[in-house]
Amino acid sequence: MPQDQYSKGLTTIRAEIDKALRDHDVSANVELSQDSQSNSATFAIAAYGKTHADTFSSTEIEDSGEAIDAPAAHKVRMLVSHFVR
């Protein structure tokens, strides 16, 4: 079950990033890299000639399995804010 929550959480966070980018009309490349030792994941967004990334802990990811939780939502907003014009 925890791995299922983790996978769902990654999907939820990615969907939230994609939605925020669409809402701000930002065309960007989003990449995901995972650290198997800490079970964390880093999302990197590249647009307008710059790249910004943030790392989500396994707890933040698992807590977002059903719906994005507040700390992860805040990270998404901060990450996307670098590209809002």
Side-chain angles (χ1 to χ4, degrees):
M1 176 85 165
Q3 185 60 34
D4 188 43
Q5 279 298 106
Y6 184 87
S7 296
K8 286 180 182 179
L10 283 178
T11 301
T12 300
I13 293 168
R14 174 59 192 259
E16 194 70 18
I17 290 170
D18 291 342
K19 180 184 180 309
L21 290 169
R22 272 192 318 275
D23 288 351
H24 293 288
D25 200 28
V26 176
S27 177
N29 182 32
V30 180
E31 292 190 19
L32 167 65
S33 59
Q34 298 182 58
D35 181 345
S36 59
Q37 287 185 332
S38 66
N39 219 18
S40 64
T42 300
F43 285 93
I45 301 174
Y48 310 128
K50 58 186 175 179
T51 302
H52 290 278
D54 205 344
T55 301
F56 293 79
S57 70
S58 60
T59 301
E60 290 170 323
I61 296 166
E62 289 171 3
D63 287 350
S64 295
E66 298 303 318
I68 193 152
D69 75 337
H74 178 72
K75 281 187 174 183
V76 167
R77 284 191 304 275
M78 295 304 296
L79 187 55
V80 171
S81 72
H82 294 285
F83 303 99
V84 175
R85 293 182 169 190

